[in-house]
């Protein structure tokens, strides 16, 4: 039976549909979106919200972009999907060529996965298979840092922060990996990588790879750290014979101010994971890229094949919109745009630092973070933001924005002003 009105389908949603990280029996409210255009989400009741989230890092060009719409419409005329086993197509090959061209020279090979989490699974398998093929069959574990986030599938979860990633609840099934403290960079230029090195020293024969989000740890705490840490990490990985996996699923495609965050450290990973903004937020697609060395390593094993192959691998619609999104980004002055957003965020969020409830304000590229001293009441704060005409979704102690790059100066001011006005009315807990 078709739904008669919005409250009917909202009620059905509440009773039957799971939303991310929510209870089915006591769900937090969801807001019905009717359409989205530019940086604006239009709710079913006609209210318009300025989007501060880019739909979790992905919609870098905003919504309903004519160029991206047309890429999908045109692709639809020839084929929406064919299996990638034994078949190939120009959208996928074109995308591979673009990715190889825009990433560091050694990254020559591309696996097209169907979501960020799957790209991480593939990266983990690549690393383990690489060492297995060299006869190093004990190198089956990963080393990572606390406060990381790498996805919700079991492999990805196993390298998420053990507390945020709920390792206790899934301890019977999650593989056990090694964790070093979260990266901390001190004012004198030093950092705490020695503890990670100790783990490498002790467990070198068991560790296939280090996995880390470069420059900023995202959903695990929105923590920014210094490029020197990454430079030292690259050297340590080489010294101790482990691969380096960089997870740029959130940071890729300009978000931190360089096209890829690893560029700020001048290093090259052995394996790189991309996703989210890859399709400009239109369709789910991710990529795991690697070097000739890893590919040749994997290929020396008896089977010689990489053991992964999702049904929707290399989906042509997703590849074509990714091609259009990359062209759109590279033909725009994205670097200056991200720099301007960064400067505006620094200037306008800095006043939050004076509030009693605020622990720290942090900005990198087009990402602005206000960390509070106490966790927020997400339901109430979300509703307050919506009342103010903005879409900002806080979690835990973090109120943060990473708007579409097309956001105008006055729209960004509305976002930052609304954060300040809501936080200034928060009462510190005694
Ligand atoms: C760094 C990082 N890795 C992996 C993922 C998982 O990607 P997906 O949600 O597309 O599975 C995310 C998603 O937030 C992420 O931020």
């Amino acid at each position: 039976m078709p739904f008669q009105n919005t409250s009917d389908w909202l009620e059905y949603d509440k009773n039957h549909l799971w939303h991310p990280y929510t209870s089915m029996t006591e769900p937090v409210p969801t807001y019905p979106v009717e359409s989205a255009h530019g940086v604006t989400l239009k709710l079913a009741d006609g209210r318009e919200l300025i989007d501060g989230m880019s739909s979790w890092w992905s919609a870098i060009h905003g919504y309903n972009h004519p160029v991206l719409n047309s890429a999908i419409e045109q692709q639809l005329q020839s084929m929406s999907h064919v299996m990638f086993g034994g078949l190939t197509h120009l959208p996928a090959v074109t995308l591979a060529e673009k990715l190889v061209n825009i990433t560091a020279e050694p990254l020559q090979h591309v696996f097209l996965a169907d979501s960020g989490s799957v790209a991480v699974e593939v990266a983990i398998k690549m690393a383990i298979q690489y060492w297995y093929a060299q006869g190093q069959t004990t190198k089956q574990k990963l080393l990572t840092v606390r406060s990381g986030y790498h996805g919700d599938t079991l492999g990805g979860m196993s390298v998420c922060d053990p507390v945020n990633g709920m390792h206790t609840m899934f301890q019977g099934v999650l593989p056990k990996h090694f964790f070093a403290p979260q990266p901390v960079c001190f004012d004198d230029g030093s950092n705490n990588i020695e503890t990670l090195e100790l783990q490498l020293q002790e467990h070198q024969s068991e560790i296939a790879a280090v996995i880390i989000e470069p420059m900023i740890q995202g959903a695990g705490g929105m923590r920014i750290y210094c490029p020197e840490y990454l430079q030292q990490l690259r050297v340590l990985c080489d010294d101790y014979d482990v691969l380096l996996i960089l997870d740029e699923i959130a940071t890729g495609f300009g978000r931190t101010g360089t096209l890829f965050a690893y560029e700020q450290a001048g290093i090259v990973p052995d394996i790189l994971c991309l996703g989210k903004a890859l399709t400009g937020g239109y369709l789910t697609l991710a990529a795991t890229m690697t070097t000739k060395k890893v590919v040749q390593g994997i290929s020396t094993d008896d089977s010689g094949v990489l053991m992964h192959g999702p049904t929707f691998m290399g989906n042509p619609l997703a590849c074509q919109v990714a091609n259009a999104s990359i062209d759109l980004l590279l033909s725009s002055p994205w670097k200056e745009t991200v720099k301007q957003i960064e400067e505006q965020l620094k200037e306008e969020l800095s006043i939050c630092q004076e509030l009693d409830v605020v622990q720290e304000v942090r900005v990198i590229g087009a990402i602005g973070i206000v960390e509070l001293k106490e966790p927020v009441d997400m339901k109430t704060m979300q509703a307050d933001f919506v009342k103010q005409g903005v879409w900002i979704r806080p979690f835990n102690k973090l109120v943060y924005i990473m708007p579409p790059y097309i956001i105008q100066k006055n729209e960004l001011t509305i976002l930052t002003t609304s954060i300040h006005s809501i936080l200034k009315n928060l009462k510190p807990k005694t």
Side-chain angles (χ1 to χ4, degrees):
M1 223 234 347
F3 297 108
Q4 301 298 318
N5 51 44
T6 312
S7 53
D8 280 356
W9 62 262
L10 262 186
E11 190 59 20
Y12 199 89
D13 174 288
K14 192 171 151 200
N15 293 327
H16 296 273
L17 255 185
W18 243 305
H19 284 262
Y21 315 108
T22 52
S23 159
M24 188 79 257
T25 51
E26 284 178 47
V28 288
T30 49
Y31 296 85
V33 188
E34 195 180 78
S35 61
H37 205 97
V39 291
T40 308
L41 307 179
K42 188 170 178 203
L43 299 185
D45 61 8
R47 281 183 294 171
E48 295 196 338
L49 309 179
I50 297 175
D51 176 36
M53 305 306 292
S54 298
S55 284
W56 279 337
W57 314 81
S58 64
I60 51 174
H61 307 294
Y63 302 90
N64 226 329
H65 196 291
V67 172
L68 303 186
N69 288 0
S70 141
I72 294 188
E73 278 156 14
Q74 277 180 28
Q75 181 55 39
L76 208 45
Q77 306 305 314
S78 50
M79 64 183 159
S80 58
H81 185 65
V82 290
M83 62 188 277
F84 213 52
L87 298 174
T88 192
H89 45 78
L90 197 53
V93 179
T94 307
L95 178 57
E97 193 206 18
K98 284 187 199 300
L99 292 176
V100 166
N101 286 341
I102 64 175
T103 53
E105 202 274 332
L107 299 166
Q108 289 287 321
H109 303 274
V110 185
F111 186 100
L112 294 171
D114 35 9
S115 72
S117 301
V118 173
V120 169
E121 300 289 330
V122 172
I124 295 173
K125 282 174 151 180
M126 275 181 186
I128 291 172
Q129 269 195 250
Y130 170 79
W131 291 113
Y132 189 88
Q134 320 301 301
Q136 302 238 31
T137 51
T138 56
K139 276 173 147 339
Q140 301 256 325
K141 293 204 179 288
L142 295 149
L143 170 60
T144 188
V145 288
R146 299 287 304 258
S147 297
Y149 179 76
H150 298 283
D152 288 346
T153 49
L154 293 173
M157 265 179 84
S158 69
V159 282
C160 287
D161 184 89
V163 178
N164 299 341
M166 312 240 172
H167 287 202
T168 315
M169 193 176 356
F170 298 101
Q171 62 181 329
V173 67
L174 282 185
K176 299 256 180 309
H177 297 301
F178 299 110
F179 287 83
Q182 58 207 14
V184 179
C185 298
F186 303 105
D187 290 344
D188 65 359
S190 64
N191 60 55
N192 66 342
I193 202 162
E194 322 80 60
T195 38
L196 183 141
E197 181 170 9
L198 291 178
Q199 303 255 37
L200 280 172
Q201 260 167 17
E202 205 176 328
H203 304 290
Q204 179 182 11
S205 62
E206 296 164 77
I207 297 173
V210 170
I211 181 167
I212 194 165
E213 298 150 276
M215 296 305 297
I216 173 165
Q217 298 184 281
M222 301 298 283
R223 301 183 64 262
I224 301 166
Y225 64 96
C226 54
E228 291 77 17
Y229 187 99
L230 288 169
Q231 285 157 359
Q232 288 168 259
L233 180 60
R234 177 69 272 183
V235 173
L236 289 177
C237 286
D238 291 338
D239 288 354
Y240 288 94
D241 243 1
V242 305
L243 299 178
L244 176 60
I245 303 172
L246 291 184
D247 179 349
E248 292 240 16
I249 287 162
T251 51
F253 302 99
R255 183 56 72 179
T256 64
T258 44
L259 199 51
F260 301 102
Y262 65 72
E263 294 169 22
Q264 296 182 38
I267 60 159
V268 180
D270 298 293
I271 300 175
L272 175 70
C273 300
L274 302 173
K276 290 187 183 277
L278 172 61
T279 62
Y282 264 60
L283 285 169
T284 176
L285 182 71
T288 309
M289 299 184 67
T290 194
T291 60
K292 271 207 161 53
K293 172 183 127 177
V294 172
V295 161
Q296 276 163 3
I298 291 173
S299 310
T300 55
D301 185 35
D302 282 350
S303 79
V305 301
L306 179 68
M307 286 310 291
H308 213 91
T311 306
F312 288 99
M313 183 167 177
N315 174 263
L317 290 173
C319 289
Q320 242 353 25
V321 75
N323 287 325
S325 175
I326 293 171
D327 289 348
L328 198 58
L329 181 69
L330 297 184
S331 63
S332 75
W334 63 269
K335 218 174 179 150
E336 291 77 45
T337 308
V338 171
K339 187 86 205 143
Q340 276 159 17
I341 296 176
E342 180 177 46
E343 278 163 14
Q344 195 181 341
L345 285 170
K346 281 185 178 156
E347 197 181 309
E348 295 181 1
L349 286 178
S350 63
I351 51 165
C352 292
Q353 190 69 69
E354 292 153 19
L355 302 173
D356 279 349
V357 293
V358 170
Q359 179 71 34
E360 191 180 40
V361 175
R362 308 189 275 270
V363 174
I364 181 171
I367 310 165
I369 306 145
V370 182
E371 181 169 340
L372 307 184
K373 292 178 181 154
E374 302 287 338
V376 301
D377 173 351
M378 206 243 275
K379 187 172 147 189
T380 313
M381 194 177 277
Q382 180 88 88
D384 290 343
F385 278 127
V386 170
K387 270 190 218 136
Q388 299 216 2
V390 297
W391 182 243
I392 298 173
R393 188 162 174 82
F395 78 88
N396 202 0
K397 295 181 185 169
L398 298 164
V399 179
Y400 64 105
I401 48 176
M402 57 271 201
Y405 302 164
I406 57 155
I407 195 161
Q408 298 298 303
K409 196 165 189 284
N410 61 326
E411 294 166 328
L412 187 53
T413 301
I414 295 175
L415 291 176
T416 55
T417 312
S418 126
I419 292 177
H420 183 257
S421 78
I422 284 176
L423 297 187
K424 89 172 184 280
N425 290 323
L426 271 189
K427 300 270 167 291
K429 291 207 176 104
T430 46

